Amino acid sequence: MNQQESFPVLECIDSLIDALSQNRPVVLKAPPGAGKTTMIPPAILDSGLISDQQILVVQPRRLAATATASRIASMRNVRLGDEIGYHVRFDKKASNRTKLLTLTTGLLQRKLLTDPLLESVGCVVLDEFHERSIEMDLVLGMIEQIRRMFRPELKLVVMSATLETGPISEFLQNAVSLHSEGRSYP
């Protein structure tokens, strides 16, 4: 079996892409090891929903942002910094060809200062949302305001391992809640 076929989160891909194509935000709950971090952003990229814009994958920590980009690039057999890249404080591996960019919450806040409507972005994926912080909550609120007032076509995915999806789905109004089972190991 192909390694990518073994991720339980893949059962949610069709529903996720369908919701995003209808400009509905998605709240995905999947336990650790289900593959949400390494499978969901590339699936969005491959879906063709985001044409010439970027997908931003927001991680709460620098190490997670760089490791995620490295892993996705490795799985796709592409050079880090081309199609897949990252941007963290004091370190950046990205180019004008980068379609999927992992970055920290702080750098997304900085990006919002220079591109307040995220016009260069087609989708934002907030990963590890269960690691709640003021910064992550602020980013979620800002992105939802952008979506409601200016850019309803901006795709949004909120992913968590343990967070209850109800309150986030309610905040995002017409969000689709998805749940993926994990894997049991002996």
Side-chain angles (χ1 to χ4, degrees), residues 109-125:
Q109 288 174 325
R110 279 195 183 155
K111 183 169 185 61
L112 282 162
L113 291 174
T114 59
D115 185 6
L117 297 181
L118 295 177
E119 292 179 38
S120 63
V121 177
C123 181
V124 177
V125 178

Side-chain angles (χ1 to χ4, degrees), residues 63-126:
L63 181 59
T66 58
T68 296
S70 296
R71 179 70 178 139
I72 293 171
S74 172
M75 291 173 76
R76 293 174 73 85
N77 201 26
V78 297
R79 196 178 76 144
L80 185 62
D82 285 341
E83 179 188 48
I84 312 298
Y86 68 83
H87 190 184
V88 298
R89 187 171 22 150
F90 306 126
D91 193 12
K92 180 178 181 180
K93 277 216 192 292
S95 67
N96 58 358
R97 297 179 306 279
T98 302
K99 298 296 288 175
L100 194 155
L101 182 71
T102 64
L103 69 165
T104 57
T105 313
L107 280 173
L108 178 56
Q109 288 174 325
R110 279 195 183 155
K111 183 169 185 61
L112 282 162
L113 291 174
T114 59
D115 185 6
L117 297 181
L118 295 177
E119 292 179 38
S120 63
V121 177
C123 181
V124 177
V125 178
L126 300 177

